[in-house]
Amino acid sequence: MDFTIQNALIATEDDYITQSVRVVDGEIRAISEEFDQDDVSVSTLINAENQLLLPGFVNAHTHSSEMWQRGIMSMFPLELWLAELYDFAPLDLEKVYLSALGTAVETLLSGGTSVVDHLVLIPGKELETIATAVRAYKEVGIRAFIAPLIQDESLAAGIPAGGTKQNYEPYFRSTQATLDIIEEATKQFHNPDAGVNILVAPTGIQLCTDALFQGCAELSNKYHLCRHSHLLETKAQEKLAQEKYGCTAVEHLHRLGYLDARTSLAHCVHLTDTDIQILAATKSTVVHNPLSNLRLGSGIAPILKYRQAGVNVSFGCDGASSNDSQDLLEAIKIGSILHNVTDFDYQHWITPRQSVEMAALGGAIGLNLGDELGSVDIDKKADLVLYDLTSLSLLPRTDPIGLLVLGRPSNIVNSAWVNGKQVVANGQVTTIDVDNLRQELFKHSQWQTKRKSQSVADLEAHYRLVMGL
């Protein structure tokens, strides 16, 4: 559909102007203070008076299926938190579908028009899991980047041995079988023109062999896929990399050829100065997940150092059981002002306008789409969001982007478009029945508490030993 957004407030380099934006065939074709009547007569006219128009943000790292455990996980570091997560009842396809819907809706209503889902796969139903998530995201209309979470080592292998002898159970599926699943998923579902993208996404160095990373890099090259992974989220992973490789994880992945401009890396909390130089040189992207890093005690990623070194940075919510929310604006706020205490030179601090650019253009660059998404510019795809500046949480009137990033905005997304298709209107997602989604999420869950299992207790003893606790 062709449409014209009239009289929207648009940010310039250091100010705002009121302009109209014309969208044709899903792309921005013109931006002007005023169009001739003949130019807009065939368009649907959208009155955007007292509304801020921004490019859609990217929720650049999450795990949709973790929605089922939000609010219940213990206060554990990542390694023990994962062991507890494994203790919950296994996923079924209905839960995969509902949680993908929920993740998409929460992302859209907090300014995101794209989501990178590091998707947990049901063993034995891997392709069905991916198909289910694809169906959910297409129904909502969000731009989906599905990154099937894969590994080829058992969970216990993710904790440093610390000089002790460890015997790990082999993973239930071979490396080649895993790579075959990803290749088949690519053939079946990778369709960027339809808003569905498949990424290669080994979970991280802690649970993946070199063969898996190299195989993923080969698939990436063969099918022109982006690459994703967790990287150095915890001190334990930093120790593990030294045990496995005798060097840092970044240095090792660079030697394997996994790092390039199509690679986005979640967390990156514990990197050396040399690591940072490698990420900058390879044009890899860091996905900042501040809330899960705080929730799990992983640390504060040195984002200011990354930015100063020229590393592209974007924002992610991470999964809803390590963050307990999919509010992208919350992640952007915390991920920006958190660093005011890591560097006392205020000239390095992240401004609200820089935060917005990181969330939109930074996210697009991390997905190798910086030329197509991430800014309100002619010839870019119309992934756009209108924010209601008359909303109570964005008043009184001062700096709109400052209010958006530094405040506690709620119910402020008025409209959103993905590839020119409207998916939010008058503050409501229009593509699915959200009331029914709420009912289904309630029906498929129950109030519960979590008690420490024996498997977690056994792992905890070894973890505390090797981490010197």
Side-chain angles (χ1 to χ4, degrees), residues 44-91:
T44 298
L45 302 182
I46 297 163
N47 181 15
E49 188 176 0
N50 296 320
Q51 296 183 64
L52 173 68
L53 181 66
L54 290 177
F57 301 147
V58 179
N59 186 354
H61 176 73
T62 191
H63 308 279
S64 61
S65 62
E66 287 182 14
M67 178 174 286
W68 298 100
Q69 288 81 37
R70 67 177 175 185
I72 193 174
M73 297 296 292
S74 298
M75 288 296 182
F76 277 150
L78 174 72
E79 287 74 19
L80 302 181
W81 173 91
L82 272 175
E84 183 174 90
L85 188 66
Y86 274 53
D87 279 346
F88 280 92
L91 286 170

Side-chain angles (χ1 to χ4, degrees), residues 108-235:
L108 284 171
L109 294 180
S110 58
T113 53
S114 295
V115 61
V116 178
D117 188 356
H118 209 174
L119 182 68
V120 177
L121 305 178
I122 300 173
K125 296 182 178 180
E126 291 86 359
L127 291 173
E128 293 95 327
T129 306
I130 298 167
T132 301
V134 168
R135 176 166 65 95
Y137 288 131
K138 289 180 74 172
E139 286 180 12
V140 176
I142 199 168
R143 196 178 294 275
F145 297 83
I146 297 173
L149 189 151
I150 52 175
Q151 64 191 76
D152 58 353
E153 293 185 311
S154 61
L155 183 63
I159 296 181
T164 64
K165 185 177 181 180
Q166 299 291 310
N167 295 311
Y168 307 126
E169 293 291 326
Y171 196 60
F172 74 93
R173 187 175 57 227
S174 72
T175 301
Q176 188 56 53
T178 297
L179 292 169
D180 290 344
I181 289 169
I182 302 306
E183 183 163 24
E184 183 59 30
T186 301
K187 292 176 180 177
Q188 289 190 30
F189 306 115
H190 185 63
N191 188 356
D193 290 340
V196 176
N197 304 264
I198 299 297
L199 282 64
V200 294
T203 184
I205 62 101
Q206 67 277 14
L207 297 175
C208 299
T209 64
D210 289 355
L212 187 59
F213 274 107
Q214 289 171 321
C216 284
E218 290 169 6
L219 288 175
S220 169
N221 292 335
K222 181 177 180 180
Y223 294 102
H224 309 290
L225 307 177
C226 287
R227 310 170 183 187
H228 192 61
S229 186
H230 299 99
L231 181 66
L232 293 173
E233 184 173 355
T234 67
K235 289 294 290 183

Side-chain angles (χ1 to χ4, degrees), residues 248 250-251 270-280 302 305-306 309 311:
T248 71
V250 173
E251 290 171 331
H270 301 282
L271 270 62
T272 67
D273 289 344
T274 299
D275 292 340
I276 296 171
Q277 292 171 8
I278 291 172
L279 294 189
K305 292 178 70 173
Y306 297 152
V311 177

Side-chain angles (χ1 to χ4, degrees), residues 12 112 118 188 200 208 246-247 303 368 448:
T12 61
H118 209 174
Q188 289 190 30
V200 294
C208 299
C247 63
I303 297 302
N368 202 32
Q448 56 185 306

